[in-house]
Amino acid sequence: VVIEGELENGKDHGGGKQNGVNGKGHGTDLTARNGDKGKVKRKTSTESVELSTEVHVGKEEEEPAELWGLEMWALLSHVMDTLWSPNDMNEYLLVVATRLHQRGLTEKHLYALGMATQFSLQKLLESPCQGCSQTDWTSNMGLAWEWAWSWISDLMSRTLTSLEARHGELTRQSWEMIKSKKTEEEIGDTIFKHLVLEAPNVVHLFVRPRKMQAFMFMQALEILVSFSETPESFFDELKQLSIRHIKYGVKTEHLKPFGKAILAGIEELASASWDDVYHEAWHRLWRRVSTCVGHSLGIGTNLITIALVNGDTERLEEALGCAPRGQRINWALRVTLHGNLMSPLYWAIRDGKFAIAEFLIRDVLMIRADREEYYYGREQLFETHPALISVLCNDCPELVETVLDGLVWHSQLVEDGAIRTNYYIKELYGSPSEDAWKTNMAVLTLEGKPGMFMHPVVDMLVEVKFNGFGRRIFISHLAAHCVLLVLFVMTFLTEQNCQSYETLRMATGMLAGLVLFVMTVLISRQYRRGQLVYKKTWFFGSRKVPWPHLLQNPWNVLRFVCMIGVIV
């Protein structure tokens, strides 16, 4: 990886070899030879420029060169994968440049590193094919590589230049000094004061209490200072940070005035110790950070997120109107922010923008059609939002009726005094393989309001379930307890002592034991399957204990105790 050699367009300097391979080819031709250490020469027909540099494999000379080769292989592979995603490439190269700087790489090494890499690629592609004896290297490849490496080196040089100037150490030093002399509230108040002066139009975004806002400013500055030290952690936090700030309504154009306020506040807080060196370090740091944050905010901002942030139903309708007919439902149910799928519906509900949530539900559950097919978002809605009924029952009960309205369709025609009506209750009905206590119907029963059961969809659902199996189960349970009650009255509440009554008493005890056994099996099964509810009881104090669903009904608890009493 220590390269010396000569570069000349279209010519091979005879005798130049590396690893025994002559440097011959088309276009840009590289030849490296063992000579003075660290010499790279570039010659053209009109001038000769000599670059003297040395690329260190690592901090220790004995470190294997293979490690450096693996670094370059990983770098080139990632760059080629993100060639058309400059933002991703910029983040990656910033991280790589920081890591390689710790291994001894400096800005002056980039040219030699690019020439060495191009030389290796050229030699590999110049090797004749065993089948057709042709080579793959062309002059256009040389030009393309020069273009690619100029881009790579330009992005890496910004980071390396800053690291060589110790900007990261200077910002950390000044920040620690400020924290040692000023309190958290003083730092927050100073930055907020300059924010009011520089950008009064964004002050409405900072509505938290004074102490909490000061804490948020401190966290932001800690992340800012850590940018040069641990860029990997910075970019990991940046995605979630950008998502939160997009929800707050932060835009890319807010970064410039916010940066001015931050830098002015830091300068005031540093006071007498502030000089041109610190000024340069902080301003360079903010330019690099603001570029990355701006790209991140820009990627996550689209017409739908803007409408959600502003709570503008009309703009949301316009945004969904831009979607193809077959993609409109997906646009309304999913929005991608930095690779994370988010639900606009949950976003609107948790931000209290119920008008937006109602519009989304109505839009998704509206039946549309074209010449090819019908479009109805019921299945996609419950597939992407399996806990929708629970969320609505707890956070916005009035929207449950909106969902139920979307699950029924009726014809506009009246036939024989009746209107044809379709009820779409599959997702509410549940599945035999599903936990019965986690179905939407069970959630509606446990967490919903009584008025919800007056809706025609719920009424139809209850009727279907009751006619299908509910009536049979209810009558069988009721019949068993009625028979047990009659036997108990006949055998235990009379003074008959004949043998037949003793037999009936034994039969009553056996029947009670059978009911008790069935209830015990059901209770143990619910414990094993986790079908439990945690609740406080008076004899356990404030501690919550798990109770099976069967015992949530006080009548079942009473039946369980009665069966034990009958047996005894």
Side-chain angles (χ1 to χ4, degrees), residues 311-514:
D312 193 336
T313 306
E314 293 183 0
R315 296 186 67 176
L316 180 59
E317 186 175 5
E318 293 176 359
L320 293 177
C322 298
R325 179 67 56 91
Q327 295 296 321
R328 184 183 179 102
I329 295 173
N330 290 330
W331 282 32
L333 296 177
R334 300 182 183 93
V335 61
T336 304
L337 296 180
H338 299 288
N340 298 323
L341 283 175
M342 300 187 65
S343 166
L345 179 56
Y346 285 163
W347 183 343
I349 292 173
R350 285 162 184 166
D351 285 354
K353 298 171 182 176
F354 298 139
I356 292 286
E358 182 178 3
F359 171 81
L360 288 170
I361 293 173
R362 292 188 183 279
D363 192 85
V364 169
L365 295 179
M366 185 180 295
I367 300 177
R368 296 180 175 87
D370 56 21
R371 291 185 297 179
E372 296 182 359
E373 60 180 313
Y374 287 92
Y375 302 95
Y376 182 39
R378 173 183 54 83
E379 293 183 359
Q380 295 94 317
L381 176 63
F382 285 98
E383 180 181 352
T384 56
H385 301 75
L388 177 62
I389 299 298
S390 178
V391 171
L392 294 181
C393 287
N394 290 285
D395 297 340
C396 187
E398 57 270 22
L399 289 183
V400 173
E401 185 175 354
T402 305
V403 174
L404 297 176
D405 288 341
L407 300 180
V408 59
W409 171 90
H410 62 82
S411 174
Q412 297 179 352
L413 302 177
V414 179
E415 298 179 2
D416 298 329
I419 299 177
R420 179 180 177 182
T421 305
N422 293 344
Y423 295 90
Y424 302 95
I425 58 176
K426 175 184 176 181
E427 285 73 21
L428 296 180
Y429 189 92
S431 171
S433 60
E434 189 178 2
D435 184 355
W437 296 99
K438 295 181 180 179
T439 62
N440 287 316
M441 183 61 184
V443 171
L444 196 63
T445 304
L446 297 173
E447 303 177 8
K449 295 184 177 181
M452 297 176 182
F453 287 84
M454 301 298 294
H455 196 279
V457 171
V458 181
D459 184 60
M460 173 59 68
L461 177 62
V462 172
E463 182 179 349
V464 170
K465 280 180 171 283
F466 190 76
N467 292 335
F469 57 87
R471 180 187 289 108
R472 183 178 65 256
I473 295 176
F474 175 75
I475 292 177
S476 62
H477 288 180
L478 187 60
H481 289 290
C482 288
V483 170
L484 189 59
L485 178 61
V486 171
L487 291 175
F488 179 79
V489 172
M490 291 176 59
T491 58
F492 288 92
L493 298 183
T494 61
E495 296 182 358
Q496 302 293 335
N497 293 320
C498 62
Q499 185 65 31
S500 61
Y501 278 91
E502 289 296 329
T503 304
L504 287 177
R505 287 174 182 173
M506 292 294 297
T508 303
M510 293 177 62
L511 182 58
L514 179 61

Side-chain angles (χ1 to χ4, degrees), residues 505-535:
R505 287 174 182 173
M506 292 294 297
T508 303
M510 293 177 62
L511 182 58
L514 179 61
V515 173
L516 182 64
F517 174 77
V518 172
M519 295 183 70
T520 304
V521 170
L522 291 175
I523 291 172
S524 62
R525 181 181 299 175
Q526 290 181 359
Y527 265 111
R528 291 197 307 271
R529 295 180 178 180
Q531 297 173 346
L532 307 171
V533 175
Y534 289 83
K535 58 186 300 186

Side-chain angles (χ1 to χ4, degrees), residues 63-350:
E63 186 175 3
E66 287 80 1
L67 294 179
W68 188 266
L70 293 175
E71 288 279 7
M72 288 303 302
W73 175 264
L75 187 150
L76 293 178
S77 298
H78 196 281
V79 166
M80 293 302 108
D81 291 339
T82 59
L83 192 61
W84 306 113
S85 301
N87 294 333
D88 295 338
M89 184 191 297
N90 183 38
E91 292 181 7
Y92 176 77
L93 292 178
L94 193 151
V95 173
V96 170
T98 303
R99 183 171 68 247
L100 295 184
H101 178 73
Q102 298 172 354
R103 298 170 64 86
L105 183 69
T106 61
E107 193 273 337
K108 68 179 182 179
H109 296 144
L110 292 176
Y111 176 77
L113 186 60
M115 292 300 99
T117 306
Q118 182 176 351
F119 177 84
S120 302
L121 295 175
Q122 180 179 338
K123 285 302 177 183
L124 287 172
L125 295 176
E126 280 182 340
S127 302
C129 176
Q130 296 181 355
C132 59
S133 301
Q134 295 181 357
T135 60
D136 294 324
W137 183 262
T138 64
S139 59
N140 288 334
M141 291 184 181
L143 296 174
W145 173 252
E146 289 181 2
W147 165 80
W149 186 255
S150 66
W151 191 5
I152 295 172
S153 60
D154 180 60
L155 295 174
M156 294 182 67
S157 64
R158 301 174 192 173
T159 302
L160 292 173
T161 302
S162 180
L163 292 172
E164 291 172 29
R166 300 175 54 247
H167 288 158
E169 298 177 21
L170 292 172
T171 52
R172 171 59 68 181
Q173 179 182 352
S174 59
W175 173 237
E176 294 298 332
M177 179 182 59
I178 291 172
K179 290 196 297 183
S180 64
K181 294 182 179 180
K182 303 292 183 179
T183 64
E184 187 174 287
E185 288 77 10
E186 289 176 333
I187 295 174
D189 290 343
T190 302
I191 294 176
F192 190 79
K193 178 184 69 175
H194 286 279
L195 186 65
V196 173
L197 295 174
E198 296 289 344
N201 60 313
V202 301
V203 174
H204 68 279
L205 298 174
F206 302 88
V207 294
R208 292 183 177 87
R210 175 172 171 266
K211 189 172 183 179
M212 184 179 295
Q213 195 61 67
F215 174 78
M216 298 301 293
F217 282 136
M218 292 289 291
Q219 293 296 314
L221 286 167
E222 285 289 353
I223 295 175
L224 178 64
V225 173
S226 68
F227 176 79
S228 298
E229 301 170 340
T230 55
E232 299 98 330
S233 300
F234 173 83
F235 286 117
D236 289 340
E237 295 181 9
L238 180 60
K239 292 182 179 180
Q240 297 301 323
L241 194 67
S242 299
I243 292 173
R244 291 200 302 270
H245 283 73
I246 289 172
K247 289 184 177 181
Y248 299 153
V250 177
K251 301 177 182 178
T252 306
E253 54 265 28
H254 295 158
L255 291 176
K256 186 175 181 180
F258 182 73
K260 290 182 178 180
I262 288 286
L263 297 175
I266 292 294
E267 183 175 354
E268 179 180 335
L269 292 167
S271 61
S273 61
W274 189 263
D275 56 18
D276 293 339
V277 177
Y278 286 133
H279 180 274
E280 178 69 14
W282 277 96
H283 278 72
R284 279 184 172 268
L285 175 63
W286 176 252
R287 283 199 295 269
R288 296 168 63 205
V289 171
S290 62
T291 300
C292 297
V293 174
H295 290 159
S296 186
L297 289 175
I299 291 173
T301 303
N302 53 48
L303 295 175
I304 294 179
T305 57
I306 292 174
L308 289 170
V309 168
N310 296 328
D312 193 336
T313 306
E314 293 183 0
R315 296 186 67 176
L316 180 59
E317 186 175 5
E318 293 176 359
L320 293 177
C322 298
R325 179 67 56 91
Q327 295 296 321
R328 184 183 179 102
I329 295 173
N330 290 330
W331 282 32
L333 296 177
R334 300 182 183 93
V335 61
T336 304
L337 296 180
H338 299 288
N340 298 323
L341 283 175
M342 300 187 65
S343 166
L345 179 56
Y346 285 163
W347 183 343
I349 292 173
R350 285 162 184 166

